[in-house]
Amino acid sequence: MKQWRALNLSITVKAHIIEDHLLDYIEHYGGLGDFHEEFIEKLHQDTKRFRRRMGSLSDFKKKCDAITSWRRLESLDLVKEAQQKVASASKRNLKRYRDGLESVSGAW
C-alpha cells in the first residue's frame, strides 16, 4: 500500500478496509472464515446505499461527514427500535392468512 500511495493512486474502499480495518476485524471475530463473504456483501450494500444518499455531494470531506452522521444515527437505540417496529409491522402474518383460507375452504 505504501508504494501504491507513493504513486498517488486512488485507494478503493476494499483496499482501505484491508489496510485499516482487517486486523481489528480478525481480532474481534477471531478470523475471517465464517464472516468473510457476509462482511463483503454488507460492505457492498452499505456502499451502494450511501452512494445513493450522498451522490449529489461532490466534496469528499462533506460526503465522509454525512456518512459518519448517518452511521451515528443508525446506531442509536431509538432508531434501532423504530426499525424493528417497522420490520415487524411489515411482515406478512401467514398464520392469519392460512386460518382465513381454511375457513373459506371449509365453506365449500
Side-chain angles (χ1 to χ4, degrees):
M1 290 299 287
K2 288 179 184 178
Q3 292 172 343
W4 193 268
R5 290 185 189 281
L7 294 171
N8 289 326
L9 297 173
S10 63
I11 305 297
T12 65
V13 173
K14 286 182 186 179
H16 163 74
I17 296 292
I18 291 168
E19 180 183 37
D20 292 337
H21 304 288
L22 186 63
L23 185 58
D24 294 333
Y25 190 82
I26 290 171
E27 288 174 353
H28 185 266
Y29 292 105
L32 288 178
D34 293 337
F35 302 100
H36 179 65
E37 191 170 327
E38 295 167 10
F39 170 71
I40 295 298
E41 183 57 34
K42 177 95 170 85
L43 174 66
H44 287 157
Q45 292 171 2
D46 289 348
T47 302
K48 186 176 181 179
R49 185 180 58 200
F50 287 125
R51 279 190 183 151
R52 218 176 24 244
R53 288 179 179 166
M54 312 304 165
S56 62
L57 294 175
S58 57
D59 184 276
F60 181 75
K61 181 167 179 2
K62 287 182 181 178
K63 273 188 185 182
C64 290
D65 290 344
I67 289 171
T68 302
S69 295
W70 273 104
R71 288 268 189 210
R72 192 177 316 117
L73 286 172
E74 287 177 338
S75 69
L76 294 174
D77 289 337
L78 182 65
V79 173
K80 288 180 182 179
E81 290 171 12
Q83 288 173 334
Q84 288 174 348
K85 284 181 184 177
V86 169
S88 65
S90 63
K91 284 184 181 177
R92 297 185 330 192
N93 187 342
L94 295 178
K95 183 180 183 313
R96 186 178 64 211
Y97 176 75
R98 280 193 304 265
D99 291 347
L101 285 179
E102 289 172 4
S103 64
V104 170
S105 64
W108 294 81

